[in-house]
Amino acid sequence: VTDIAVLPDCWCFQDISFVPVDFAASSLLDMLGSDEPVLHLVHPYTVPWDVYSDTASQLLKVPVISYEKWLSKLQTASQATDRETAKHNPAIKLLEFYEHDLGEAESVVIATDKAVRVSPTLKGLRKLTREDVELWVAYWKKVGLLQ
């Protein structure tokens, strides 16, 4: 098994806008029947990527390396075609996405004003914190996604 055992120092976006699945589901219900033709389901209160990467790095005891080095490790791991490697490296499934020049995406800002107006759930979200990452990592370990 080709194990990457590192985290990238930044995501394609400097800030993350993850919405926990239970809040995403409630937000979608809030949005049903809205007159707005387009609503973006992203967290309206973004946080820096390092809230995730630094916390996960400490919990998993793995280093944070540059995005370029991380991508190179992912590409190497993807060349091992056995199922076990893919199972232990789920990011391989998104390799094509990661290989795009994601630097241009930094200038994209997804407006959330309409979604927040329509969804009390989105409006009431709190910023993601270290504690959220701790819960995610604990869950991922529990279900066997991480060791």
Side-chain angles (χ1 to χ4, degrees):
V1 175
T2 305
D3 192 8
I4 295 177
V6 294
L7 290 167
D9 66 354
C10 68
W11 185 247
C12 55
F13 303 105
Q14 293 300 314
D15 291 337
I16 57 173
S17 57
F18 303 155
V19 177
V21 70
D22 49 342
F23 290 98
S26 294
S27 297
L28 287 172
L29 291 174
D30 293 344
M31 294 173 178
L32 280 175
S34 168
D35 292 334
E36 293 293 342
V38 176
L39 295 167
H40 300 290
L41 182 54
V42 296
H43 203 301
Y45 316 112
T46 61
V47 296
W49 171 250
D50 61 9
V51 168
Y52 169 77
S53 63
D54 291 353
T55 304
S57 171
Q58 291 168 4
L59 293 170
L60 299 172
K61 297 176 180 36
V62 298
V64 177
I65 64 174
S66 74
Y67 185 84
E68 293 77 18
K69 288 180 182 177
W70 175 81
L71 180 59
S72 176
K73 285 183 171 286
L74 187 62
Q75 290 166 329
T76 299
S78 75
Q79 294 171 2
T81 57
D82 61 80
R83 299 185 114 209
E84 197 63 22
T85 296
K87 178 182 174 187
H88 290 286
N89 296 295
I92 289 172
K93 296 174 186 171
L94 297 172
L95 180 59
E96 188 176 329
F97 170 76
Y98 296 129
E99 289 175 327
H100 283 86
D101 183 11
L102 301 175
E104 294 177 18
E106 289 183 40
S107 62
V108 175
V109 176
I110 298 176
T112 59
D113 54 322
K114 293 177 183 177
V116 167
R117 190 170 48 248
V118 169
S119 172
T121 304
L122 273 184
K123 185 176 183 176
L125 283 179
R126 62 173 175 71
K127 280 190 171 195
L128 297 173
T129 65
R130 175 183 175 86
E131 289 76 28
D132 294 301
V133 179
E134 290 170 351
L135 290 171
W136 299 339
V137 169
Y139 175 77
W140 294 333
K141 284 182 174 183
K142 178 182 171 183
V143 299
L145 186 62
L146 296 174
Q147 296 178 359

